[in-house]
Amino acid sequence: MARRFLSLFCPDVTDDRLTQLVEWCDRYSPLAAADGSDGIILDITGCIHLFGGEDKLFLDLQRRFHRMGIQSQGAIADTWGIAWALARYGEQSIVHGGNAASALALLPVEALRLPYEIVLELRRLGLSTISAVRKIPRSSLAARFGSTLLWRLDRIFQQAEEPLTPWRPAAPYRASRILAEPISTVSAVEYVLHDLLQEICKRLERNRLGSRHMDLACYRLDGTVDRCEIRTSKPTRSIPHLMRLFEGVLETLKSGFGFETFVLSVLDVEALHPTQLSLSQANPVEDESSFNALVDRFGMKLGFDQVNRIRVRESYLPEQAVEFRSAAVSPIAGAEWPAYRIRPVRLIHPPMSIKISILIPGGSPVRFFIGERQRRIVRLEGPERLTAEWWRDSNSRWGTRDYYRIEDDQGLRFWIFRDSSEHWFLHGHFA
Amino acid sequence: MRYAELQASSNFSFLRGASHPQELVNAANEYRHFAIALTDRNTLSGIVLAHSTLKKMKELHTRFIVGCRIDLKNGESILCYPKNRKAYGNLTRLLTLGRRRASKGECLLDLADVADHAEGQHFILPFPQVLTESARTHIQQCADLFQGNLHLALTHSCRGDDKQWIRIVAGFARSLAIPIVVTNDVLYHYPGRKMLQDVVTCIREKCTLAEAGFRLDANAERHLKPPRIMAQLFSEWPGALEATIEIADRCLFSLDELRYEYPEEIVTPGLSAFEDLKRRAFDGARSRYPKGVPEEFEKQIHHELKLIAECEYAPYFLTVHEIVKFAKSKEILCQGRGSAANSVICYCLGITEADPVECKLLFERFISSARNEPPDIDVDFEHERREEVIQHIYEKYGRDRAGLTATVVHYRKRRVLREVSKVLELSGETSPERRKLAVSLMNQLIGFPRHLSQHVGGFVIARERLDELVPIENARMQDRTVIQWDKDDIDELRMMKVDVLGLGMLSAIRRAFDLLKLHYAKELTLATIDRKDPAVYEMLQNADSIGVFQVESRAQQSMLPRLKPKEFYDLVIEVAIVRPGPIQGDMVHPYLRRREGKDPVEHPSPELEAVLGKTLGVPLFQEQAMQVAIVGANFTPDEADELRRSLATFRHVGTIGLLEERFLEGMRENGYPEEFAKRCFNQIKGFGTYGFPEAHAISFANLVYVSAWIKHHHPDVFCAALLNSQPMGFYAPAQLVRDAREHGVEVRPIDVNHSNWETTMEPIENSSRHAVRLGLHMVSGLPEKEARALVAARGSGYRTPGEIARRAGSSRRALDRLAQADAFSSMTVDRRQALWKTSVLDGKMPPLFASAHLFDEPEADLPPITGSQEVLADYLTTGLTLRQHPLTFLRPHLKARRVTTAAELKTIGAGKTVLVAGLVLFRQHPQTAKETIFVTIEDETGAANLIVWKHVHEKYHAAVYHGKLLACQGVVQREGQVLHVVARYVWDWSAQLKDLDPQQAAPALPVRSRDFR
């Protein structure tokens, strides 16, 4: 039986939309694929009767596209090449075997889907239509344009076959189970899931990879699909950990008439090298991984944007020098802090206004007060002068600050500063 | 308290320092620093500015010390201060060494190199912020190498633990027996520049301020501090403070010690430079006037010689003469211009060609200008052969004695806007305050040096080693070396340079002379053409000047019929008047009205009449403007020169306002009306940047006349010479060919059997004239080598394309280009057939493969080519067509839309509204009329000029700027013979050109919208 191809030309859709449309075209034929960036190709051989004929199928498709607000043009023909050419350069039509040659004759050479240089060359020679090219002896064409042009000509006139690769790309790690009987309880699903995880994690381990994103597709009897996915902050292939994460989401599945097929895919992998297990009890490696597991569980429960890590930010101003980053973002090494810029263990925020007594104007402070309590300064180092980060919108109100490290008569150490209007503040304690 | 700042970087440490050298030394003088050293990174570019700024100071407290921070390959640095002239030479040689081995802008040195050039230097090691292992090693190595001439710097940066850290570093220095000295590692002259310093740091690091982090300084302490503050900070270290003075007292080298000397070999052995010049001048005069030198002329020679002797300029003239002599020996056309070029001596030496007596040059001018500025002679050479002259200079004097002057490229508004916006992350939401801050930062950054570039051709040649006067670095161009100083620095130090420039018109004239000799047996030189031919002037009066030097632009073309040049000096004025200077200063109209007798010629005073009498009371030349300042406003020559420079060099901030006040006051004192004074100053302002000195104008006018003469008498020669000298001038080959054909020249198409590489001339039967045969150089994409091979193997001609492939070994690509350019017509093979045939030929392949298909190939049934396709293909491959104009094919269509042709336009009265359409020849945005764009369009009947005012081109921006075929509705405007259409509406009809070629690529059909109701 002759094969039948439907080519759709829809130039105005984005790449993402095109992908969606291809998936959507599943309804007409499982053999659907994006055709370049501006069209879709469907192998509709054997699917036609489901719609009561090619014209009905075609009309149905166009109606639906029209309703979705998508401008498109299509053609049905015996080969992919003819359908492609007619959809773009010819009349919207359904063409059968013998009619193809005449429908193609007056189309421009671009309809042969040739590389740009060949089209240009043909046009320079005045060979602008398919019929003009066909008048030239094949040997002369071969001498000038190599095999590409002849191959394209043959292809369009059905002398060479071209396979079609369907749209759904296989995930790199994918496992499936088709059950004899549909199941609908969570515990039954868990059982299947565990089985699938074992298969996949073994393969991940062999390739020293860990998953960061998994997707479980559960196919119901009625042909609809329910999905659940999990993400982790670090690559993992620990089955108990993954099971725990799935536990929270499996409950959201709606089994309906029951699931008959399960597909587990790993959508994102990262390198995860095997680590030496240590015999001692306090295992730092394990500690870290259990810490990561904790972060993941918090993340799955609260959302990863709610869980933060702390890291150093490059700023001389103490209140700017730390920032919070979402735990989902893999930790990047923070800046290295210049060792000579000593910062207190505890920062008081906001800085506490204090009184100072000074012996000589412009000189160093000798006493300071916290509330009513007076402290005598016995040691002092500084100043460390820090100018405001003038480019920030919310400028600090202290202007240029002079910081001093001081020690009082009881051996307590403080970090105080004077702002540009000569007010004094306590900003931190040293250990 | 005495203190000398020994570590200061200016903005010549690109994107590090945030103050100009002038600002730093000014501030140091104000604070009464004992001395200040400029220590820019691996460069001495800023030292002349700093030195001369201090020299001009009224109250001088601070001595300038030449220094340099040498950044080594291993990331460590050392500061170097030459103690005497010899050490300075060592330093410049060290920097030359590092620069010459690196690519442009970089410097590769290690400590061993510094040690090799250490004689006479004093060194300071910058204060280390952390004592890493490599820093310790570096300090130790320096201690071993430079003991006795080395200090270690202590710098207080308010980092918190300064007291303790300084003690640690000082302790380390003591352990190595290195004495210590205080510096402040200055980056800006006052703390307010910290923000700008942050900005330039970000530009350097290519990041935003928010991302910059620790790359910025924590505070604004790196400014120049008064000695009192420095003393407070280092009260614990009085010895280290005193050391600044000790070092300053040791480094006594001053730039005043540099003595520039001319190369020796220019002088004839046995004579002094002056005697030699005198001899050569009189020899020259005798050959200029074989019948006897006129008395006035001889008097002038003596006059000038006296002055030259006074100023010791003789070697300079000899240097220029040597270069010109070389060019002439190689038959390279050249001609001098510049302020010193209007001397009779230059005329005698053959540096210039226009007789100053004939031009009624005011001899006094050369002398007065020479008194207050070093002589300046620029020499133009044929642009294609200038490199020969340059390489000759390098060869004759050596790279260590000759180098090109640098040009400091400054930050300009547009770039500043882009960079600062990026660094500050400006966006639409930026608050007005921040926007204001950003603008003030941008204004500070404008005028900062950005990098050094090579001057177009200013050579400095020294007697001894040039690299002991100034560091020499590599330019971006291969085989070019550039010194670290620019033109102003050179002037300041009274070093002299010769400008070796390239001029396309000289190449064209050289070619025209060669063709005239070959085909018309006429031997001409720049000097021998008679400058009084009325027919030539008549041609110019009619604005028939396409291709003529300087006067072919739109503005010049419209000026010619108004100025009506009748004699040579009128051309001088023509050249000078259509310049932004005179236009901006509104001098053109007064001049024309006076010339036409519409306004009386008046002079506000006899003094000014002496200056301006020759140009009817209106200043047209640069030196006239300066003379007005001297005579009218009591400027000293030095001040007038300062005025010129402050206007010419990029925004010497603040000085212009002061000079303007000074000028107006001076005019008032001399009793000139205020309004007149203001107008004069505006005129002078215009000249600063764009004015021509008279000698320039004369030299250029000479080329105007020579090229016009050739165009008038030999349009065929003129056309061929211009085509062979492309790219040059204003017009594309298409217009040149069109113009030639309009002047009755037969132009023949490119043909593999007739064309050479260059465009040539062929005799026409029964005619004294020649036809122009377009050369293979017109075929775009055809390599010269292949074309020459084709010509060489041609013999008695080719019969088929296959023969070319076999005999000349032409590549497939070359044959294709030729076929596409329709160069096979003498074989009666049309373009398409030729393409078909050549597409299987390849002379580069072994014959067996290439000819496999040749003989048994069946005929191909190719569709015939249409006329419009031919025209389009001509344009695509050669940029011009000898067939019909493309618009011929569109004409029926245009007629239907009632489009007026360019020819019809001439008969239409002013004020009428017309619709015109044509191919865009060019667009112009004159600097003098920023709001307006001039567009010239062309149809099959001629060219039409459009004036597009601002409100119109803003509205039709895309069409005006990018359209290839424009249609325009507007009002006809007439000024004498000159015709414009003032645009009201502009449309881009370029798409119609594509319609000419039905074969052009087919787009996929537009999707038709359908309705499924």
Side-chain angles (χ1 to χ4, degrees):
Chain A
M1 189 181 111
R3 313 197 63 161
R4 297 293 283 166
F5 289 87
L6 192 164
S7 175
L8 274 175
F9 173 48
C10 27
D12 302 328
V13 300
T14 62
D15 286 359
D16 292 348
R17 185 81 177 108
L18 190 69
T19 318
Q20 284 175 2
L21 289 172
V22 170
E23 191 174 345
W24 180 87
C25 281
D26 252 4
R27 64 170 54 238
Y28 299 106
S29 161
L31 292 176
D35 196 0
S37 61
D38 61 359
I40 298 170
I41 182 72
L42 295 168
D43 184 344
I44 54 171
T45 321
C47 306
I48 298 158
H49 66 280
L50 297 172
F51 296 85
E54 283 183 349
D55 45 349
K56 295 247 173 63
L57 183 152
F58 198 15
L59 197 64
D60 181 70
L61 186 147
Q62 285 179 313
R63 274 223 178 90
R64 287 174 192 275
F65 263 58
H66 183 69
R67 230 174 279 150
M68 288 190 272
I70 296 165
Q71 302 257 306
S72 71
Q73 225 165 240
I76 299 179
D78 288 351
T79 67
W80 180 354
I82 297 174
W84 188 91
L86 289 172
R88 281 161 182 78
Y89 297 96
E91 284 294 305
Q92 163 150 297
S93 53
I94 299 175
V95 178
H96 287 276
N99 298 335
S102 64
L104 290 172
L106 290 176
L107 297 193
V109 283
E110 281 82 357
L112 288 171
R113 220 176 176 177
L114 292 162
Y116 175 71
E117 305 78 57
I118 295 188
V119 170
L120 205 69
E121 189 61 28
L122 287 170
R123 289 202 164 271
R124 285 203 312 159
L125 292 162
L127 301 171
S128 57
T129 61
I130 294 183
S131 66
V133 175
R134 289 192 88 194
K135 276 188 209 153
I136 306 294
R138 283 175 71 91
S139 59
S140 297
L141 288 178
R144 287 172 177 81
F145 305 102
S147 57
T148 317
L149 176 61
L150 289 181
W151 187 77
R152 286 283 173 186
L153 273 174
D154 291 348
R155 181 191 128 175
I156 203 165
F157 291 102
Q158 224 164 352
Q159 286 153 11
E161 202 42 73
E162 203 176 1
L164 186 153
T165 319
W167 67 278
R168 214 190 299 260
Y173 293 91
R174 196 160 179 264
S176 60
R177 294 285 178 276
I178 301 171
L179 309 179
E181 291 287 317
I183 56 168
S184 50
T185 63
V186 171
S187 57
V189 175
E190 275 179 5
Y191 182 80
V192 178
L193 175 64
H194 194 265
D195 196 31
L196 289 167
L197 278 173
Q198 270 185 329
E199 181 183 334
I200 284 207
C201 289
K202 200 175 280 170
R203 281 166 57 199
L204 286 174
E205 188 175 4
R206 208 176 308 141
N207 293 327
R208 305 188 164 193
L209 293 170
S211 155
R212 291 210 47 195
H213 187 183
M214 272 190 182
D215 168 85
L216 178 69
C218 314
Y219 292 75
R220 297 195 193 91
L221 270 182
D222 62 356
T224 53
V225 188
D226 205 348
R227 292 170 190 277
C228 53
E229 42 189 322
I230 56 159
R231 291 165 191 274
T232 55
S233 63
K234 293 206 162 172
T236 180
R237 51 174 181 261
S238 150
I239 295 171
H241 180 44
L242 289 166
M243 280 303 289
R244 252 199 313 277
L245 295 175
F246 266 116
E247 258 168 38
V249 287
L250 285 184
E251 284 156 17
T252 62
L253 289 176
K254 295 191 176 54
S255 60
F257 298 107
F259 300 115
E260 49 158 9
T261 304
F262 293 87
V263 179
L264 180 66
S265 327
V266 184
L267 302 176
D268 192 6
V269 292
E270 253 173 45
L272 176 63
H273 295 285
T275 42
Q276 173 73 51
L277 294 176
S278 123
L279 294 173
S280 79
Q281 201 59 15
N283 185 338
V285 175
E286 221 159 57
D287 278 353
E288 201 204 331
S289 64
S290 67
F291 175 74
N292 287 335
L294 181 71
V295 171
D296 290 344
R297 291 187 71 189
F298 276 134
M300 291 300 291
K301 273 248 154 44
L302 307 169
F304 273 101
D305 49 341
Q306 301 291 320
V307 185
N308 289 321
R309 286 178 206 271
I310 296 173
R311 68 168 216 157
V312 172
R313 184 162 66 183
E314 285 194 44
S315 171
Y316 299 109
L317 302 183
E319 68 275 16
Q320 299 281 359
V322 157
E323 68 180 338
F324 295 98
R325 283 289 186 97
S326 161
V329 182
S330 27
I332 317 154
E336 195 174 322
W337 189 261
Y340 57 82
R341 293 197 185 271
I342 296 159
R343 292 291 180 263
V345 172
R346 177 151 178 252
L347 205 63
I348 297 168
H349 192 75
M352 188 194 294
S353 180
I354 53 172
K355 278 205 188 87
I356 285 283
S357 68
I358 294 171
L359 282 184
I360 9 161
S364 317
V366 288
R367 281 174 224 287
F368 73 106
F369 301 85
I370 298 179
E372 291 302 303
R373 174 123 186 249
Q374 189 197 106
R375 288 165 192 273
R376 196 162 64 81
I377 298 170
V378 291
R379 271 180 235 273
L380 174 139
E381 187 180 59
E384 178 180 351
R385 185 162 297 166
L386 301 177
T387 42
E389 294 181 343
W390 56 271
W391 58 89
R392 287 193 196 284
D393 276 329
S394 52
N395 237 325
S396 108
R397 59 204 144 99
W398 300 295
T400 297
R401 296 176 237 177
D402 277 351
Y403 277 93
Y404 293 88
R405 290 203 297 150
I406 55 173
E407 191 178 310
D408 72 0
D409 44 6
Q410 301 189 353
L412 294 175
R413 292 175 170 196
F414 301 91
W415 205 39
I416 62 172
F417 74 85
R418 176 181 47 203
D419 72 3
S420 45
S421 43
E422 303 279 317
H423 294 301
W424 288 84
F425 297 87
L426 174 65
H427 207 167
H429 298 285
F430 291 96
Chain B
M1 185 60 234
R2 293 198 304 171
Y3 175 71
E5 182 55 64
L6 294 174
Q7 188 176 9
S9 307
S10 73
N11 51 16
F12 279 92
S13 296
F14 301 132
L15 298 179
R16 289 179 195 274
S19 291
H20 293 278
Q22 304 96 302
E23 292 172 328
L24 286 170
V25 296
N26 268 327
N29 195 52
E30 211 159 287
Y31 290 146
R32 309 203 168 197
H33 276 220
F34 181 74
I36 178 159
L38 201 65
T39 51
D40 280 316
R41 289 171 185 247
N42 299 332
T43 184
L44 295 177
S45 284
I47 60 171
V48 181
L49 265 176
H51 169 80
S52 62
T53 307
L54 276 180
K55 248 178 103 173
K56 286 191 196 112
M57 210 68 75
K58 287 214 175 79
E59 274 183 60
L60 183 64
H61 306 289
T62 305
R63 192 162 60 75
F64 178 66
I65 297 173
V66 172
C68 182
R69 174 184 173 125
I70 295 163
D71 281 349
L72 303 173
K73 274 191 286 194
N74 61 6
E76 302 296 339
S77 302
I78 187 165
L79 310 172
C80 176
Y81 311 86
K83 286 188 276 197
N84 49 45
R85 171 68 183 88
K86 191 146 182 287
Y88 173 79
N90 280 338
L91 174 60
T92 56
R93 270 173 51 194
L94 172 68
L95 290 171
T96 303
L97 178 74
R99 292 282 185 177
R100 292 275 284 131
R101 40 162 101 120
S103 60
K104 187 195 160 196
E106 285 166 48
C107 184
L108 292 175
L109 289 172
D110 50 36
L111 201 54
D113 298 320
V114 179
D116 287 345
H117 296 81
E119 203 193 318
Q121 318 283 11
H122 194 84
F123 295 102
I124 295 180
L125 284 164
F127 182 64
Q129 291 295 333
V130 260
L131 272 177
T132 56
E133 204 44 53
S134 74
R136 282 171 193 274
T137 323
H138 175 64
I139 295 170
Q140 217 144 12
Q141 282 173 341
C142 290
D144 296 342
L145 285 167
F146 310 126
Q147 200 57 268
N149 291 309
L150 180 71
H151 278 72
L152 180 76
L154 301 182
T155 303
H156 191 289
S157 57
C158 274
R159 50 180 246 183
D161 63 344
D162 305 86
K163 277 204 169 129
Q164 200 192 345
W165 182 244
I166 286 173
R167 275 184 214 140
I168 293 171
V169 174
F172 180 63
R174 198 179 317 117
S175 74
L176 295 170
I178 307 175
I180 47 177
V181 61
V182 172
T183 72
N184 199 38
D185 195 3
V186 168
L187 288 181
Y188 29 88
H189 67 292
Y190 79 110
R193 282 285 168 85
K194 164 68 161 68
M195 284 194 242
L196 186 63
Q197 210 274 321
D198 287 346
V199 169
V200 296
T201 302
C202 288
I203 296 175
R204 188 184 78 223
E205 296 284 335
K206 299 186 177 63
C207 63
T208 66
L209 281 158
E211 292 161 1
F214 297 148
R215 286 173 279 193
L216 304 180
D217 285 335
N219 55 40
E221 295 303 302
R222 294 175 75 176
H223 61 94
L224 199 70
K225 291 178 182 167
R228 184 177 52 83
I229 304 278
M230 293 307 290
Q232 273 170 21
L233 288 172
F234 287 91
S235 52
E236 254 183 68
W237 307 95
L241 283 166
E242 193 49 38
T244 61
I245 310 298
E246 286 161 23
I247 295 172
D249 279 338
R250 280 205 243 172
C251 301
L252 289 172
F253 169 72
S254 156
L255 284 176
D256 290 335
E257 292 172 45
L258 294 188
R259 251 190 72 80
Y260 169 72
E261 285 171 303
Y262 291 94
E264 258 169 333
E265 53 265 64
I266 50 169
V267 185
T268 312
L271 293 178
S272 75
F274 181 74
E275 288 164 352
D276 197 13
L277 180 68
K278 190 171 173 180
R279 188 182 56 87
R280 294 192 205 185
F282 279 103
D283 284 354
R286 274 188 291 276
S287 66
R288 290 279 188 202
Y289 295 98
K291 289 176 215 147
V293 182
E295 193 184 327
E296 192 195 4
F297 195 93
E298 204 175 313
K299 222 172 87 195
Q300 179 64 16
I301 297 180
H302 282 296
H303 202 40
E304 288 182 8
L305 279 174
K306 195 171 140 239
L307 181 89
I308 288 168
E310 243 172 61
C311 305
E312 297 176 13
Y313 288 157
Y316 180 67
F317 283 85
L318 292 177
T319 310
V320 178
H321 187 220
E322 281 301 311
I323 296 170
V324 168
K325 247 169 56 187
F326 165 79
K328 292 199 166 165
S329 75
K330 295 279 172 200
E331 302 208 326
I332 301 171
L333 276 190
C334 61
Q335 182 174 265
R337 56 193 167 96
S339 68
N342 57 355
S343 65
V344 289
I345 297 214
C346 281
Y347 180 62
C348 293
L349 295 178
I351 296 168
T352 51
E353 297 296 352
D355 183 346
V357 175
E358 184 189 347
C359 301
K360 297 176 276 187
L361 256 185
L362 293 179
F363 294 132
E364 287 305 318
R365 198 157 303 144
F366 159 65
I367 288 154
S368 59
S369 66
R371 279 234 166 83
N372 52 62
E373 62 185 76
D376 174 27
I377 303 179
D378 305 342
V379 188
D380 291 317
F381 297 88
E382 294 174 42
H383 71 313
E384 287 154 1
R385 301 188 64 187
R386 181 174 81 119
E387 196 57 33
E388 291 176 42
V389 180
I390 289 178
Q391 292 306 331
H392 160 77
I393 293 172
Y394 277 134
E395 223 164 85
K396 178 161 180 187
Y397 302 101
R399 269 169 209 281
D400 50 357
R401 292 178 51 206
L404 278 169
T405 320
T407 306
V408 180
V409 177
H410 293 99
Y411 271 97
R412 296 285 175 123
K413 201 167 174 184
R414 186 179 299 195
R415 194 177 180 96
V416 164
L417 191 72
R418 197 172 66 220
E419 302 263 30
V420 175
S421 304
K422 229 193 293 172
V423 167
L424 279 163
E425 298 177 89
L426 294 188
S427 69
E429 287 127 52
T430 309
S431 65
E433 299 91 68
R434 259 164 68 87
R435 207 160 271 281
K436 233 171 105 186
L437 176 66
V439 169
S440 99
L441 286 168
M442 288 177 194
N443 285 335
Q444 288 173 37
L445 184 57
I446 290 174
F448 262 43
R450 191 154 74 84
H451 63 87
L452 293 189
S453 169
Q454 69 177 47
H455 184 271
V456 281
F459 261 100
V460 177
I461 304 166
R463 170 174 298 184
E464 306 290 338
R465 300 182 58 141
L466 182 63
D467 61 0
E468 288 182 355
L469 277 174
V470 55
I472 303 174
E473 36 184 279
N474 291 332
R476 178 150 292 156
M477 264 172 90
Q478 248 197 330
D479 290 339
R480 292 282 171 89
T481 45
V482 176
I483 64 171
Q484 282 185 346
W485 291 337
D486 74 357
K487 186 169 150 290
D488 290 346
D489 297 336
I490 302 246
D491 281 359
E492 192 62 49
L493 297 177
R494 298 187 75 78
M495 291 167 64
M496 279 164 220
K497 72 173 202 320
V498 186
D499 278 358
V500 178
L501 305 170
L503 195 61
M505 184 47 80
L506 282 172
S507 304
I509 292 176
R510 152 99 284 139
R511 289 203 168 88
F513 286 169
D514 290 348
L515 288 170
L516 282 170
K517 193 165 147 189
L518 190 67
H519 297 287
Y520 291 94
K522 287 191 183 173
E523 290 221 32
L524 294 173
T525 69
L526 285 178
T528 52
I529 291 180
D530 165 38
R531 278 180 192 76
K532 295 189 182 90
D533 188 339
V536 173
Y537 291 105
E538 198 185 318
M539 179 185 83
L540 290 175
Q541 284 170 17
N542 292 327
D544 179 4
S545 64
I546 288 178
V548 177
F549 183 63
Q550 277 280 312
V551 296
E552 58 176 349
S553 74
R554 272 276 294 274
Q556 293 278 7
Q557 275 193 341
S558 60
M559 184 62 64
L560 284 167
R562 292 161 69 186
L563 198 76
K564 295 201 178 56
K566 287 182 284 292
E567 52 176 7
F568 183 71
Y569 197 73
D570 292 341
L571 293 181
V572 179
I573 287 176
E574 169 80 30
V575 166
I577 204 168
V578 188
R579 297 282 305 164
I583 293 173
Q584 252 168 20
D586 192 24
M587 292 165 243
V588 179
H589 284 275
Y591 178 80
L592 285 177
R593 292 186 64 83
R594 286 177 182 203
R595 192 180 157 95
E596 287 162 11
K598 287 182 189 161
D599 283 351
V601 177
E602 287 170 335
H603 297 287
S605 70
E607 292 83 25
L608 285 185
E609 182 173 358
V611 177
L612 301 174
K614 192 156 96 171
T615 51
L616 309 180
V618 180
L620 293 180
F621 303 113
Q622 202 180 51
E623 56 267 57
Q624 282 180 317
M626 299 308 124
Q627 284 290 315
V628 168
I630 294 170
V631 174
N634 304 335
F635 274 47
T636 64
D638 275 339
E639 281 171 327
D641 196 48
E642 192 189 333
L643 175 64
R644 179 182 64 81
R645 258 187 238 173
S646 69
L647 292 166
T649 46
F650 196 76
R651 245 176 247 292
H652 271 229
V653 206
T655 52
I656 294 172
L658 285 176
L659 288 166
E660 177 165 12
E661 251 168 59
R662 179 73 195 73
F663 182 88
L664 295 180
E665 205 185 288
M667 292 292 268
R668 210 175 305 128
E669 275 168 23
N670 288 337
Y672 296 104
E674 183 80 17
E675 185 245 312
F676 174 78
K678 277 202 170 134
R679 200 174 69 225
C680 277
F681 192 78
N682 277 339
Q683 292 173 341
I684 292 171
K685 236 154 86 174
F687 275 114
T689 19
Y690 303 115
F692 264 177
E694 191 176 11
H696 265 223
I698 290 172
S699 286
F700 274 7
N702 192 36
L703 299 184
V704 172
Y705 185 85
V706 171
S707 55
W709 186 93
I710 301 169
K711 179 180 163 82
H712 178 76
H713 291 284
H714 301 280
D716 46 356
V717 170
F718 190 62
C719 176
L722 286 179
L723 287 179
N724 284 333
S725 308
Q726 292 296 315
M728 63 163 284
F730 218 66
Y731 294 88
Q735 283 87 52
L736 297 173
V737 166
R738 180 181 179 145
D739 186 63
R741 293 173 97 191
E742 277 168 9
H743 286 81
V745 176
E746 183 186 338
V747 181
R748 295 176 177 171
I750 303 166
D751 194 294
V752 286
N753 276 324
H754 302 288
S755 293
N756 287 347
W757 168 248
E758 293 93 4
T759 292
T760 49
M761 316 243 313
E762 294 175 356
I764 304 175
E765 248 175 85
N766 306 322
S767 166
S768 61
R769 277 214 176 170
H770 288 70
V772 171
R773 171 68 73 177
L774 299 181
L776 297 173
H777 67 105
M778 306 281 292
V779 180
S780 80
L782 181 68
E784 179 171 349
K785 227 173 113 189
E786 296 227 31
R788 292 202 184 274
L790 183 152
V791 174
R794 185 153 63 200
S796 59
Y798 299 113
R799 276 159 303 157
T800 64
E803 261 185 55
I804 303 178
R806 275 198 308 280
R807 278 162 46 191
S810 304
S811 70
R812 156 99 173 73
R813 190 181 143 68
L815 290 167
D816 179 83
R817 298 318 300 171
L818 289 166
Q820 186 72 341
D822 201 16
F824 293 99
S825 46
S826 60
M827 302 174 186
T828 61
V829 176
D830 82 6
R831 177 179 253 132
R832 207 162 258 176
Q833 285 296 335
L835 272 176
W836 182 252
K837 292 216 164 90
T838 57
S839 60
V840 282
L841 295 174
D842 192 342
K844 303 280 181 233
M845 297 278 281
L848 258 180
F849 292 97
S851 53
H853 307 280
L854 277 184
F855 303 103
D856 52 353
E857 178 161 56
E859 273 305 307
D861 181 10
L862 298 173
I865 190 165
T866 67
S868 61
Q869 285 171 351
E870 293 263 29
V871 168
L872 274 188
D874 282 343
Y875 267 95
L876 284 177
T877 50
T878 59
L880 63 90
T881 186
L882 300 175
R883 295 173 231 270
Q884 282 158 303
H885 193 273
L887 256 66
T888 322
F889 301 97
L890 292 177
R891 186 53 62 192
H893 176 72
L894 297 177
K895 226 174 201 157
R897 294 206 188 179
R898 299 174 176 244
V899 174
T900 311
T901 65
E904 287 162 2
L905 203 59
K906 288 183 183 132
T907 64
I908 288 178
K912 290 260 167 55
T913 300
V914 290
L915 178 63
V916 290
L919 297 178
V920 174
L921 290 187
F922 35 75
R923 305 172 170 83
Q924 266 186 291
H925 314 239
Q927 280 167 312
T928 44
K930 280 186 185 130
E931 313 285 84
T932 315
I933 297 178
F934 295 104
V935 184
T936 303
I937 60 173
E938 177 198 64
D939 65 16
E940 70 275 28
T941 66
N945 298 326
L946 310 180
I947 295 179
V948 191
W949 299 113
K950 192 180 178 191
H951 65 278
V952 180
H953 69 70
E954 275 176 356
K955 205 158 156 193
Y956 303 102
H957 185 273
V960 174
Y961 282 89
H962 306 293
K964 287 197 183 75
L965 172 59
L966 286 190
C968 163
Q969 194 185 69
V971 179
V972 177
Q973 196 186 59
R974 267 175 197 283
E975 215 171 319
Q977 293 182 22
V978 188
L979 200 95
H980 298 288
V981 176
V982 181
R984 269 201 204 131
Y985 306 95
V986 183
W987 301 275
D988 182 0
W989 282 2
S990 309
Q992 301 206 11
L993 285 175
K994 289 192 187 141
D995 296 346
L996 291 182
D997 181 8
Q999 306 280 4
Q1000 53 114 14
L1005 296 173
V1007 175
R1008 294 166 292 269
S1009 79
R1010 286 195 194 77
D1011 220 340
F1012 288 97
R1013 248 167 311 178

